[in-house]
Amino acid sequence: MKESINLNRYKVFLFVVVLFILLVVGGWVFLNYRLEHILTKAQPKQPYGIEVRKTDTLKIVAIGDSWAGLHQSSFGDSVFQDMLVGKLHRPVSFHSKGKGGEISRGIYNLMFEDEGYGTKELLSSGADYCIVFAGINDAAANLGTKQFLHHYRLILDFLVAEGIKPIVVEIPDVNIWNVYKDKPIKDFVVDFVKSRKTNCNMYEVKEYRKQLRSDLAKNDWLGKVLYIQVQSWNTSGLSVNEQLFMPDQVHLNSLGYKRLDSCIAAAIYSDLEQGTNSASFYEPME
């Protein structure tokens, strides 16, 4: 009788173990299947042609995620515009437009849309320089560096083909964990699965920054863009400087935009006046 009870307990235990394994494996397969569409890569789109401008006005635009979207409200496009007007002594036009939370694939797609957050109208009217803010949300979504680099290159390819010089803003070590600390457990699980599928660390921007710089150097792109290093505007180097960031430690405050914009202005001035190497370390323009 005792042996029969032990056997039944063993069978129940074995059943529970097998069921648990099946649930874990099944959940993993299901999540991988559901995530396939998230990890798909956009195909290159047909260029739509840029308007040929007959004016001496230097036109600069900024596109991307919330760093572009908050530029106007946090700092003011006109402030950056005035920085360059005073230095170059020529008319300057600057407009920024971005979508908070957008990944590099979405930023590329928005370049071909007119409505909502679309930046087609901004670009099609012609521009001399385009500041690109992208990468933080790719890291936040754990999409992996391969997908990030693919779409960033699509953005750069389009801009260069249309005669617009890209300005690449290097990503600092923003604190994505600080924003996501109250996420539901189920969302953390999904993010973990994505990070394993893409072989990246959860919510870490370091590898995205490193791979982008490496890809630009390897493919001889540093001579085609202005590359704004973090160290040129952030006195704390790659780590977050709380004086320059909002309390979430992800978005810049007005002082942060002032520091960053002054370095971008210095890079543009050097590029126009002196033809300075685009990968140089730029001091802020006071």
Side-chain angles (χ1 to χ4, degrees):
M1 182 70 177
K2 188 175 181 180
E3 291 179 356
S4 177
I5 293 175
N6 288 336
L7 181 61
N8 287 333
R9 287 178 177 174
Y10 174 75
K11 289 180 178 179
V12 171
F13 174 76
L14 185 62
F15 173 77
V16 171
V17 171
V18 172
L19 181 62
F20 175 76
I21 293 174
L22 288 175
L23 287 173
V24 171
V25 174
W28 181 271
V29 172
F30 176 72
L31 280 175
N32 272 272
Y33 173 75
R34 291 292 301 272
L35 293 174
E36 282 299 323
H37 75 283
I38 297 177
L39 300 175
T40 56
K41 296 178 180 178
Q43 297 301 311
K45 300 178 184 292
Q46 290 294 322
Y48 42 75
I50 299 297
E51 178 182 324
V52 178
R53 295 181 299 111
K54 299 178 180 179
T55 174
D56 185 50
T57 300
L58 181 72
K59 184 173 181 182
I60 307 162
V61 299
I63 63 172
D65 51 29
S66 57
W67 277 40
L70 291 172
H71 191 281
Q72 172 60 40
S73 58
S74 295
F75 184 55
D77 290 351
S78 60
V79 180
F80 175 60
Q81 187 172 290
D82 292 341
M83 281 184 188
L84 276 171
V85 169
K87 190 69 176 178
L88 296 174
H89 304 294
R90 61 181 285 194
V92 176
S93 170
F94 175 70
H95 296 284
S96 59
K97 190 174 187 179
K99 182 179 180 182
E102 192 59 88
I103 59 177
S104 56
R105 180 182 60 196
I107 293 169
Y108 176 67
N109 288 332
L110 286 171
M111 295 170 73
F112 298 85
E113 295 180 14
D114 291 309
E115 303 298 325
Y117 292 99
T119 53
K120 181 179 179 179
E121 183 177 358
L122 201 64
L123 295 167
S124 61
S125 59
D128 298 289
Y129 295 91
C130 178
I131 305 167
V132 181
F133 294 106
I136 292 176
N137 294 302
D138 291 74
N142 302 288
L143 298 178
T145 57
K146 290 183 179 179
Q147 188 184 92
F148 167 61
L149 291 178
H150 171 79
H151 295 112
Y152 210 110
R153 285 293 302 277
L154 289 181
I155 294 171
L156 298 183
D157 284 340
F158 174 84
L159 293 175
V160 171
E162 295 292 355
I164 303 173
K165 192 160 193 175
I167 300 177
V168 177
V169 178
E170 190 174 51
I171 309 170
D173 290 338
V174 294
N175 191 353
I176 299 173
W177 281 98
N178 185 51
V179 177
Y180 283 177
K181 59 180 178 291
D182 296 324
K183 252 192 170 188
I185 294 296
K186 64 179 181 64
D187 291 341
F188 275 116
V189 172
V190 173
D191 286 343
F192 173 76
V193 173
K194 283 194 290 183
S195 70
R196 295 306 87 205
K197 188 175 178 67
T198 58
N199 194 30
C200 65
N201 293 322
M202 287 179 64
Y203 314 140
E204 280 283 354
V205 302
K206 293 182 176 67
E207 195 62 22
Y208 294 79
R209 177 179 60 239
K210 176 183 176 182
Q211 291 298 325
L212 177 60
R213 178 62 186 269
S214 175
D215 183 72
L216 292 175
K218 181 175 62 177
N219 293 287
D220 196 30
W221 268 86
L222 288 177
K224 302 176 184 177
V225 306
L226 296 185
Y227 189 89
I228 310 300
Q229 300 179 64
V230 176
Q231 292 92 332
S232 65
W233 60 272
N234 187 350
T235 55
S236 295
L238 296 174
S239 61
V240 170
N241 184 337
E242 293 185 2
Q243 293 182 326
L244 306 180
F245 283 78
M246 294 182 183
D248 63 11
Q249 298 180 32
V250 170
H251 298 95
L252 295 177
N253 58 25
S254 58
L255 180 58
Y257 276 112
K258 180 180 180 181
R259 290 288 301 177
L260 174 58
D261 281 3
S262 66
C263 290
I264 294 175
I268 293 174
Y269 174 76
S270 296
D271 187 58
L272 289 173
E273 300 298 316
Q274 305 166 22
T276 302
N277 187 304
S278 61
S280 295
F281 181 91
Y282 296 109
E283 293 296 335
M285 179 181 287
E286 301 298 342

